[in-house]
Amino acid sequence: MKYYIIVGEASGDLHGSNLMKSLLKQDPEAQFRFWGGDLMEAVGGEQVMHYKERAIMGFTEVIRKLGAALKNIKYCKEDIARYQPDALIFMDYSGFNLRIAKWAKPKGFNTHYYISPQVWASRESRVKTIKANINHMYVILPFVKDFYEQKHNYPVDFVGHPIIDAINLHQQVNHVEFLNKYQLDERPLIALLPGSRKQEISKMLGVMLQMVDQYPDYQFLIAGSPGQEASFYKPFLKKNVTLVMNRTYDILS
């Protein structure tokens, strides 16, 4: 089968790559074309555009990048029409994906949404669009299944949280080697996880780092997102704060 997958950020790239691996176990002849990231690219297939090129957060940034976003939507529709996938799979990135779904479903494409947008928390009106344009919805939290089926009469599949699979696949870090690699001492560690998008990180990390001077007996580790370059974090670094890129699970463990 031919699969077309659209994700919008680093977490989607992780879960998308594991989804692709699982699909390959069931369908060794699977062909993938996707909007994703490095992890999905490592599995195989054709990448249309990296999520780093499309990350948008906040009303101001949406307005500023509106022209590029509209071009991406237009190109995505044209690319799907050329590829003619057997399954069109959306992950996160609801502003973009629901627009594509609204176009794709009437044209006969088999639409799937893996990991529901958080419609129970905000903009519940999107459920109407989802019911009209998504053939199959897969949710990762039990209460979300109840939300859709009991409140909105929309059958969905509960498939469990993919982060459990990601953690199970993760190789346990050697604590001593980790401390030595990043020149850390034996003081307790405090992990700072400010998000994955530039605007989000800038807002969150500035607040988090205000606490550093109040805890001199601890070491602070910033979990650098795979969606950003290390240079982006440099202005935030200060005494007793260490940047560790792309090793969030190692930091937590």
Side-chain angles (χ1 to χ4, degrees):
M1 287 181 62
K2 296 168 66 177
Y3 302 88
Y4 198 104
I5 307 174
I6 307 173
V7 310
E9 55 190 8
S11 60
D13 183 33
L14 170 64
H15 301 323
S17 67
N18 288 331
L19 174 64
M20 291 164 68
K21 292 172 186 176
S22 295
L23 287 171
L24 282 169
K25 290 179 181 178
Q26 299 184 44
D27 180 11
E29 301 301 317
Q31 300 175 49
F32 299 108
R33 188 167 175 83
F34 54 88
W35 297 56
D38 298 341
L39 297 176
M40 294 173 72
E41 191 170 35
V43 177
E46 300 174 277
Q47 179 158 268
V48 182
M49 188 179 294
H50 201 287
Y51 68 80
K52 290 183 181 179
E53 301 177 54
R54 297 171 281 124
I56 299 175
M57 182 178 178
F59 180 76
T60 302
E61 193 172 5
V62 168
I63 295 299
R64 184 166 57 85
K65 296 185 177 180
L66 183 59
L70 292 175
K71 286 182 181 179
N72 286 340
I73 290 172
K74 181 176 184 292
Y75 179 73
C76 185
K77 293 176 180 178
E78 293 170 348
D79 197 52
I80 292 169
R82 284 191 295 268
Y83 188 65
Q84 289 294 305
D86 299 299
L88 177 56
I89 304 173
F90 305 107
M91 294 180 63
D92 58 54
Y93 206 35
S94 63
F96 186 95
N97 277 333
L98 289 179
R99 284 176 173 82
I100 300 299
K102 195 172 183 179
W103 164 86
K105 175 71 180 299
K107 293 190 176 299
F109 291 106
N110 191 9
T111 56
H112 303 252
Y113 216 120
Y114 177 51
I115 307 180
S116 169
Q118 294 183 3
V119 289
W120 60 90
S122 65
R123 295 174 59 196
E124 192 170 336
S125 59
R126 288 177 294 174
V127 173
K128 183 178 180 181
T129 301
I130 289 170
K131 291 178 66 174
N133 299 294
I134 301 299
N135 294 116
H136 306 281
M137 171 64 76
Y138 309 95
V139 303
I140 62 175
L141 298 168
F143 79 84
V144 180
K145 180 177 176 67
D146 295 338
F147 167 83
Y148 275 116
E149 295 186 344
Q150 297 178 17
K151 188 173 183 179
H152 292 283
N153 193 32
Y154 178 58
V156 302
D157 292 297
F158 169 66
V159 295
H161 205 299
I163 204 70
I164 296 174
D165 297 324
I167 291 172
N168 288 337
L169 292 171
H170 183 72
Q171 186 173 355
Q172 188 71 16
V173 65
N174 182 292
H175 182 66
V176 175
E177 290 180 1
F178 184 87
L179 294 181
N180 290 337
K181 179 177 177 64
Y182 294 101
Q183 299 179 357
L184 300 166
D185 54 44
E186 292 299 328
R187 287 176 295 164
L189 304 174
I190 295 178
L192 305 180
L193 289 79
S196 61
R197 302 177 186 178
K198 279 188 169 67
Q199 190 174 357
E200 177 182 37
I201 295 167
S202 297
K203 289 182 177 180
M204 297 292 291
L205 196 51
V207 175
M208 291 175 173
L209 292 174
Q210 292 176 19
M211 304 304 297
V212 172
D213 294 338
Q214 299 185 40
Y215 292 88
D217 296 329
Y218 291 79
Q219 303 170 95
F220 290 78
L221 301 184
I222 299 174
S225 168
Q228 306 298 337
E229 301 296 332
S231 59
F232 172 69
Y233 293 91
K234 295 300 182 184
F236 298 100
L237 298 183
K238 56 193 293 187
K239 183 180 179 181
N240 212 24
V241 176
T242 301
L243 172 66
V244 179
M245 292 298 299
N246 305 336
R247 299 190 67 177
T248 299
Y249 292 161
D250 288 344
I251 293 172
L252 293 178
S253 68

